[in-house]
Amino acid sequence: MAKTFPKSGLIIILFSVLFASSAVLLPVACQQFSRKLSRKEMGLKREKLSHLHFYFHDIVSGRNPTAVRVAAATTTNSSATGFGAVVMMDDPLTAGPDLSSKLVGRAQGIYASAAQEESGYLMVLNYVFVEGKYNGSTLSILGRNTVLSTVREMPVVGGSGLFRFARGYAQARTHYFDLKTGDAVVEYNVYVIHY
């Protein structure tokens, strides 16, 4: 005589058989969140320190500005520091202080007036290089720029291409500032450790 099972018991048995067989047939995905890698596995060689020197042209006037205000607070225009203004930029980076000198890259990102008591900007940008062995590589900057200080220092927080795993700092010095137009040329010395 055949043994009978209640319907619920039969369903449990069938589910168990199906689950067990599917677990055997399906490949097991890696459940590991992180793992240690060697530099060799990543193709990383010895770290080196590079010095980059260029001029940043922030052009806010004329028919083809390279930096434009995209947002402002209701009080920005009455603030002595322009507090709350947000500017999007695609500024040329050149080998010399003249805009006509050799283009080595572009500064692409935003700067925003983030201080009420002095001219202090939050800088969030990438230097996108278009020249020589760095063509296609980038450096990422995130820092504070007090534009009336003689020398400003901002951290290099990363990069891409030849600047993967980059870290360092960028020093900025105003080379030229036009009080009428607001256009500026800033000399940059960037010191970066990378592979």
Side-chain angles (χ1 to χ4, degrees):
M1 177 174 202
K3 192 171 182 178
T4 60
F5 292 98
K7 272 188 175 178
S8 62
L10 186 58
I11 291 171
I12 291 172
I13 291 171
L14 284 172
F15 180 76
S16 298
V17 169
L18 287 172
F19 180 75
S21 65
S22 67
V24 171
L25 298 174
L26 295 176
V28 178
C30 178
Q31 298 295 316
Q32 188 175 4
F33 174 69
S34 68
R35 65 186 177 105
K36 289 187 178 186
L37 297 172
S38 71
R39 290 180 183 182
K40 188 176 183 180
E41 283 179 287
M42 294 294 295
L44 302 175
K45 297 180 178 138
R46 208 172 55 118
E47 281 186 326
K48 55 188 155 245
L49 174 64
S50 294
H51 171 226
L52 304 169
H53 178 256
F54 50 81
Y55 291 84
F56 171 107
H57 299 265
D58 194 51
I59 304 164
V60 298
S61 69
R63 293 174 51 171
N64 295 309
T66 61
V68 294
R69 188 157 91 170
V70 294
T74 55
T75 57
T76 296
N77 291 337
S78 62
S79 167
T81 64
F83 180 69
V86 179
V87 177
M88 184 69 63
M89 71 174 132
D90 183 14
D91 289 344
L93 304 175
T94 60
D98 294 324
L99 186 55
S100 61
S101 64
K102 185 176 196 168
L103 183 74
V104 297
R106 301 198 73 85
Q108 297 174 334
I110 62 171
Y111 57 88
S113 179
Q116 295 183 53
E117 302 297 322
E118 64 181 328
S119 291
Y121 292 92
L122 167 66
M123 306 291 286
V124 182
L125 63 107
N126 290 307
Y127 297 137
V128 180
F129 297 102
V130 297
E131 177 58 33
K133 70 178 180 177
Y134 299 123
N135 184 18
S137 297
T138 68
L139 285 174
S140 298
I141 305 294
L142 174 63
R144 184 170 188 259
N145 184 356
T146 52
V147 295
L148 298 179
S149 299
T150 305
V151 178
R152 290 90 68 193
E153 190 172 294
M154 292 160 278
V156 172
V157 296
S160 67
L162 289 180
F163 293 120
R164 287 185 192 137
F165 296 105
R167 64 192 187 282
Y169 66 97
Q171 281 187 337
R173 296 175 197 266
T174 301
H175 178 76
Y176 171 79
F177 178 70
D178 187 321
L179 287 170
K180 274 187 182 174
T181 64
D183 294 348
V185 178
V186 181
E187 179 182 19
Y188 272 87
N189 282 287
V190 181
Y191 302 90
V192 60
I193 296 172
H194 60 103
Y195 290 95

